[in-house]
Amino acid sequence: MARDLKYTRNIGIAAHIDAGKTTTTERILFYSGVNHKLGETHEGSATTDWMAQEQERGITITSAAVTVNWNYRGNKYHMNIIDTPGHVDFTVEVNRSLRVLDGLVFLFSAVDGVEPQSETNWRLANNYNVPRLGFVNKMDRAGADFLKVVKQVKDMLGSNAIPLQIPIGSEDAFKGVVDLINWRGIVWNTEDKGMTFTEVPIPDDLVEEATEWREKLLEAVADYDESLMEKFFDAPDTITEREVLDALRKATLDGKIVPMVCGSSFKNKGVQTMLDYVMELLPSPLDVEAISGTNPKNGEAIERKPDVKEPFSALAFKIATDPFVGRLCFIRVYSGNLEAGSYVYNARSENKERISRIFQMHANKQNPIENVGAGDIAAVVGFKDIKTGDTLCDEKNPIVLESMDFPDPVIGLA
Ligand code: GDP
């Protein structure tokens, strides 16, 4: 059965080294693993899962793509997290990741703010018009300042960064956030590693500041919805949460707004709320333009929609060696469907090769799957001759997808 692509997310996490990408990724795996099993497990299993995952960290965190599930507002989302290296030496790899992901969580340290590699990655992400959500991490550290980082993202990266939250408490006393959209305070419960949170009234001393930031947020999104704009001027009290979220999503997908949230992944605060906003605001494969390419036989331009009924097309974006299954080729499927055991055509080598197995990498296991369809990401086994950047397709409907080597003066491509 084809997956409903509305609930698929292909997301990268971009950050300057040391901002907390590894810690945040681990927490995502932890929360989503538990989240996935909620209902089946009793309380207290969280710690065991956590330890098991920490041990397996070597496998999962370094994988080119890890798949998790996330329940949000009654729907089960399928999220592929694509590795986006933080070190300056890996600019080529960042380009490759950006080519196959649909949205980015841009991580900043609340103390260090915008750093050199944030600037480089931001600029590369601009080249691909990747919509992004800002996550300001390390809110528990001395000198943490969420709004200062928001301002830097505005001033230094030239974006319309808009806070969706303001922090409750700072540094050691960082406890939670005021959500400016649904107008409530939340404080994470620490005894269960931040699995749950308690709703609290907006603290008196934050009401004025929160009101001010909510107005800024509404003003920014009102441009994206006429009725919201009318309400903003005539009856702001009647504005609904859904209206704000829908307008904000449009603005985010258009790259007109960069929504900003905060937390401390190390202290287990804010990762789940950030994930909820990933599902709410970042694109699904259906929100992204159809992929274009050329027919290698006659040079004719071709477009492929993210639909399993279209002819198969996919891009190989990373070749890796796995201790258990051998050589893995990570692919992003743009159209059609690929079944394990079938043959696929490589437009570069002009060879047909048999795919023996297809996997998706989860927090603690490689999950064999029978097929991988449009909009999804998986690792395939079986290629003898494969290079990153190769287009894989249907022999009768050949296509070379547009080059993934984006011209950039910083890089010397291999
Ligand atoms: P990466 O280089 O971006 O992958 O960063 P890491 O996840 O390895 O984190 C770098 C360091 O910052 C580690 O020592 C983490 O324990 C620490 N760290 C990460 N997130 C937080 C946080 O939210 N608060 C604090 N205080 N430290 C953090």
Side-chain angles (χ1 to χ4, degrees), residues 45-58:
S45 63
T47 322
T48 334
D49 281 5
W50 183 299
M51 283 160 60
Q53 286 181 5
E54 296 258 295
Q55 282 159 13
E56 252 128 6
R57 169 178 165 160

Side-chain angles (χ1 to χ4, degrees), residues 15-27 57 61 86 107 135-142 263-269:
H16 185 89
I17 202 142
D18 218 38
K21 196 176 71 170
T22 312
T23 312
T24 305
T25 309
E26 278 177 349
R27 276 10 172 212
R57 169 178 165 160
I61 307 285
L107 199 89
F135 179 60
V136 177
N137 186 38
K138 301 198 181 183
M139 286 298 297
D140 60 297
R141 281 204 33 207
S264 161
S265 47
F266 188 66
K267 296 280 168 105
N268 307 315
K269 294 182 175 127

